[in-house]
């Protein structure tokens, strides 16, 4: 029953947002609350939602001030030299622009933090997409495809969870995955070429895309807010912030909060200018924060009711025992829906140990199953349970449902390519 309710919850949510019957925020809150009440969880519902919001609160704070900080830096013109350099390199060629997006995302993603990657790459590349009249869905698609591959880095999240859950080191889990990541990035560059070529043909036939959202991270350019004389100071402040983030010296939300306050004082000493900056970008920050806290309620109910664990156990039980000899392939294939419908914590700490215990009885080593479980990361970030996904679509000014429909087939392609590569190279 719990399993049925869990899948019903996610299916209703997906149908509502993909058909644009509800915004992601309202669907994230209303759907799980209604299902939980129907299932008789009314008395515990308040605590479930409170715990879910608590777990995601620091992430929400971080994203609010990260958006305010990077939006301020865009207003000052910090990224303009980088945009001009990239523009000179790629020219007016959508193919070069999309390939450049893939390469830049892969490089920026080396820090292992998806949120900062989205902020930096969208800030750098969205102006180019606007100048060339390209569809911003192409931008969000390529960024997510590259980010999903790079998310396998040990400090990215899922790999660390596998190593912790199975008590294994990076040499057993991550190092053998490096060739798979390289092939995955090559696939993303290939997809970027295809999408760039399509955009080039579309622009030649139908003209430039102009239906941009004025509430994206770039928004309307205000030359009065430019601070070209402070560009080196702003660059130093941003680099310091990134170093603090990489070294994990203070919580990231606090770091962005402090950095935003310092940047506001340095660039806009007048109080009215500081208020103008906050007012200008408050809508974007609030929309992202709302969806983040909505996702907290969604996952809080899934976890608190036991629905998420029941879903995972049921998905394991549907695998026929006769497939036991192919547990490595089964694990890799099922990691795609597992990591889409469940959180990484639920899958890697709750489900993977059960898979590994079963594999042990069949003589399949835990490191093989651990590596196989990472194949699904090629599609994981598209999940509505991943908070940073809402940040990406808000920054680029696109609808989550449009992004999901546009990117899904390419993301599934990433997982298929990684699976085939892992089998051919004997990684799993």
């Amino acid at each position: 029953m719990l399993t049925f309710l869990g899948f019903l919850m996610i299916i209703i949510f997906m149908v509502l947002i993909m058909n644009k019957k509800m915004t992601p925020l309202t669907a994230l809150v209303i759907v799980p609350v209604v299902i939980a009440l129907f299932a008789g969880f009314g008395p515990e519902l308040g605590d479930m939602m409170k715990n879910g919001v608590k777990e995601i609160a620091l992430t929400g704070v971080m994203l609010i001030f990260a958006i305010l900080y990077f939006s301020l830096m865009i207003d000052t013109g910090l990224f303009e030299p980088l945009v001009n350099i990239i523009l000179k390199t790629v020219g007016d060629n959508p193919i070069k622009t999309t390939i450049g997006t893939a390469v830049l995302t892969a490089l920026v993603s080396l820090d292992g933090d998806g949120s900062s990657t989205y902020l930096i790459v969208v800030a750098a590349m969205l102006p180019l997409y606007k100048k060339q009249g390209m569809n911003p869905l192409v931008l969000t698609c390529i960024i997510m495809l590259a980010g999903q591959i790079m998310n396998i880095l040990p400090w990215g999240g899922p790999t660390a969870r596998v190593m912790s859950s199975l008590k294994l080191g990076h040499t057993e889990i991550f190092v053998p995955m490096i060739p798979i990541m390289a092939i995955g990035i090559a696939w993303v560059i290939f997809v970027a070429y295809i999408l760039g070529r399509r955009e080039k043909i579309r622009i030649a036939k139908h003209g430039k895309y102009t239906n941009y959202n004025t509430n994206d991270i770039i928004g309307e350019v205000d030359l009065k807010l430019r601070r070209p004389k402070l560009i080196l100071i702003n660059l130093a402040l941003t680099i310091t912030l990134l170093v603090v983030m990489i070294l994990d010296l203070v919580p990231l939300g606090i770091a962005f909060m402090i950095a935003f306050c310092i940047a506001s004082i340095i660039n806009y000493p007048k109080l009215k200018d500081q208020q103008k900056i906050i007012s200008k970008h408050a809508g974007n920050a609030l929309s992202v924060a709302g969806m983040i806290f909505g996702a907290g309620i969604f996952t809080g109910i899934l976890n608190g009711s036991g629905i998420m664990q029941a879903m995972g156990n049921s998905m394991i039980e549907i695998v026929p025992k006769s497939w036991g000899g192919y547990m490595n392939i089964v694990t890799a294939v099922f990691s795609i829906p597992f990591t889409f419908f469940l959180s990484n914590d639920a899958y890697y700490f709750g489900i993977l140990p059960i898979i590994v215990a079963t594999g042990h009885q069949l003589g399949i080593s835990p490191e093989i199953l651990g590596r196989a479980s990472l194949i699904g990361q090629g599609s994981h970030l598209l999940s509505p349970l991943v908070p940073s996904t809402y940040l990406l679509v808000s920054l680029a000014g696109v609808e989550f449902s449009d992004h999901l429909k546009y990117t899904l087939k390419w993301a599934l392609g990433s997982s298929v390519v990684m699976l085939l590569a892992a089998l051919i190279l004997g990684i799993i």
Side-chain angles (χ1 to χ4, degrees):
M1 183 62 179
L2 287 178
T3 301
F4 171 75
L5 290 174
F7 283 111
L8 179 64
M9 189 186 300
I10 292 175
I11 290 170
I12 292 174
F13 169 80
M14 300 289 282
V15 169
L16 287 173
I17 64 168
M18 292 186 75
N19 288 294
K20 298 184 178 179
K21 300 297 184 183
M22 282 189 180
T23 65
L25 170 59
T26 53
L28 282 167
V29 176
I30 298 299
V31 173
V33 168
V34 171
I35 296 291
L37 289 172
F38 173 77
F41 289 107
E44 301 92 9
L45 193 56
D47 286 335
M48 291 180 192
M49 294 188 291
K50 182 175 69 174
N51 292 334
V53 171
K54 274 183 179 179
E55 289 182 5
I56 215 160
L58 280 178
T59 301
V61 171
M62 183 272 289
L63 293 180
I64 290 171
F65 284 95
I67 290 171
L68 290 175
Y69 178 82
F70 278 100
S71 297
L72 183 150
M73 287 300 163
I74 291 169
D75 286 335
T76 65
L78 174 63
F79 295 98
E80 203 164 352
L82 175 61
V83 171
N84 291 334
I85 291 172
I86 297 175
L87 190 59
K88 287 180 182 178
T89 304
V90 303
D92 194 21
N93 189 331
I95 297 175
K96 290 183 179 179
T97 300
T98 53
I99 293 175
T101 302
V103 173
L104 180 62
T105 304
L107 293 174
V108 177
S109 294
L110 287 170
D111 68 357
D113 183 77
S115 299
S116 61
T117 297
Y118 297 156
L119 285 157
I120 293 170
V121 178
V122 173
M125 299 304 296
L126 186 56
L128 272 67
Y129 280 70
K130 286 187 173 183
K131 287 180 181 178
Q132 295 180 12
M134 297 173 65
N135 190 337
L137 286 172
V138 176
L139 174 64
T140 59
C141 174
I142 295 171
I143 291 175
M144 180 150 285
L145 292 179
Q148 289 177 149
I149 305 298
M150 298 303 290
N151 198 39
I152 297 175
L153 289 166
W155 49 90
T159 303
R161 288 174 172 87
V162 173
M163 293 189 295
S164 176
S165 177
L166 304 184
K167 305 296 188 293
L168 295 171
H170 70 283
T171 53
E172 293 98 343
I173 300 297
F174 171 67
V175 174
M177 291 295 294
I178 294 176
I180 307 302
M181 291 179 64
I183 292 170
I185 290 297
W187 158 258
V188 173
I189 292 173
F190 175 67
V191 172
Y193 169 79
I194 293 175
L195 296 179
R197 190 169 180 273
R198 286 184 179 179
E199 280 297 286
K200 189 174 183 179
I201 294 171
R202 184 192 59 77
I203 291 170
K205 283 187 177 181
H206 306 291
K208 294 183 175 183
Y209 182 93
T210 58
N211 191 26
Y212 294 101
N213 189 334
T214 55
N215 290 326
D216 59 38
I217 192 173
I218 304 302
E220 299 296 329
V221 176
D222 188 346
L223 296 178
K224 293 180 181 179
L225 297 176
R226 287 284 192 261
R227 295 294 185 267
K229 295 180 179 180
L230 297 175
I231 191 166
L232 292 179
I233 294 175
N234 287 326
L235 179 61
L237 180 60
T238 303
I239 291 173
T240 302
L241 177 61
L242 294 176
V243 170
V244 169
M245 178 188 69
I246 293 170
L247 298 179
D248 197 22
L249 298 178
V250 295
L252 196 52
I254 305 301
F256 271 113
M257 193 181 295
I258 295 171
F260 171 71
C261 293
I262 294 173
S264 297
I265 295 170
I266 292 174
N267 290 279
Y268 307 108
K270 294 182 179 179
L271 183 60
K272 65 176 183 179
D273 290 334
Q274 294 178 20
Q275 292 172 335
K276 182 178 181 180
I277 288 292
I278 294 175
S279 299
K280 181 181 179 183
H281 302 294
N284 199 2
L286 181 60
S287 66
V288 175
M291 287 188 287
I292 297 301
F293 290 119
I297 288 177
F298 196 100
T299 55
I301 292 174
L302 279 177
N303 286 320
S305 62
I307 289 176
M308 187 170 287
Q309 187 66 34
M311 289 169 64
N313 292 335
S314 297
M315 291 175 76
I316 290 177
E317 290 172 3
I318 67 172
V319 179
K321 293 182 180 180
S322 59
W323 293 8
Y326 304 98
M327 184 60 72
N328 54 336
I329 299 175
V330 171
T331 300
V333 171
F334 272 75
S335 69
I336 300 172
F338 268 131
T339 56
F340 188 87
F341 291 113
L342 307 177
S343 67
N344 272 340
D345 285 337
Y347 176 48
Y348 290 115
F349 291 121
I351 307 304
L352 183 58
I354 299 173
I355 296 174
V356 170
T358 305
H360 178 71
Q361 297 175 0
L362 299 168
I364 302 175
S365 63
E367 59 265 26
I368 287 178
L369 295 175
R371 294 195 290 266
S373 71
L374 291 169
I375 298 298
Q377 289 300 313
S379 310
H380 168 67
L381 293 181
L382 269 177
S383 170
L385 303 180
V386 178
S388 61
T389 303
Y390 300 110
L391 172 65
L392 174 62
V393 297
S394 295
L395 293 174
V398 302
E399 293 289 338
F400 176 83
S401 56
D402 295 334
H403 168 66
L404 180 61
K405 287 186 282 188
Y406 190 91
T407 308
L408 183 59
K409 64 181 178 181
W410 301 112
L412 291 174
S414 295
S415 292
V416 171
V417 167
M418 291 168 66
L419 173 59
L420 294 175
L423 290 171
I424 293 170
L425 297 177
I427 304 301
I428 63 169

